[in-house]
Amino acid sequence: MQEQPNRLAGKVAVVTGAGATGSGAFVGIGQAISILFASQGAKIILVDRDEKNAEVTLATIKERGGEASVFVGDVTSNADCESMAKAAVERYGKLDVLVNNVGISGRGSVTDVDEELWDTVIDVNLKSVMLTSKHAIPRMIDSGGGSIINLSSIV
């Protein structure tokens, strides 16, 4: 397969869970997506609740000649999701792609699961997709359309 360099030139992408999640050579999914999109010419908003982890991804992108910036926020917060979408437009002029790449799991069966943990898992895994999409879609429409990529896991 022949690579198509700069397939995403001129595009602006928001990637949630974009921070480094491991150490050393380990690269997390959001980090890998961000690095790949930037290598293809996209400008990336690196969303993570941990600024230090997002800065690791940012450094890698910049070392490779890409353009990105960090947005520290909680994707279960309506206000943070609204600010995230606004940041894409303020920093780069538009929003073309949203990658929903956050997820957590909890231990326990249905008979012994902690209700507070259950609520947190649902908020991170489901509510975040609704909130990020709610605020990204109007900006995508203003930009002439876009793509939303939702990831999930068997975990």
Side-chain angles (χ1 to χ4, degrees), residues 109-148:
S109 71
V110 70
T111 58
D112 62 9
V113 67
D114 176 75
E115 185 177 355
E116 186 176 320
L117 173 61
W118 174 259
D119 289 341
T120 300
V121 169
I122 293 299
D123 284 353
V124 171
N125 294 350
L126 298 176
K127 181 180 176 183
S128 68
V129 172
M130 180 274 296
L131 289 174
T132 56
S133 299
K134 173 184 178 178
H135 296 292
I137 289 170
R139 275 100 184 157
M140 289 179 175
I141 291 169
D142 290 345
S143 298
S147 296
I148 299 175

Side-chain angles (χ1 to χ4, degrees), residues 31-59:
Q31 185 181 20
I33 290 168
S34 299
I35 293 166
L36 177 64
F37 279 22
S39 76
Q40 291 295 310
K43 295 173 183 150
I44 314 296
I45 300 288
L46 305 166
V47 180
D48 208 285
R49 63 182 176 185
D50 186 318
E51 185 172 12
K52 182 180 174 186
N53 289 349
E55 292 288 344
V56 171
T57 304
L58 178 62

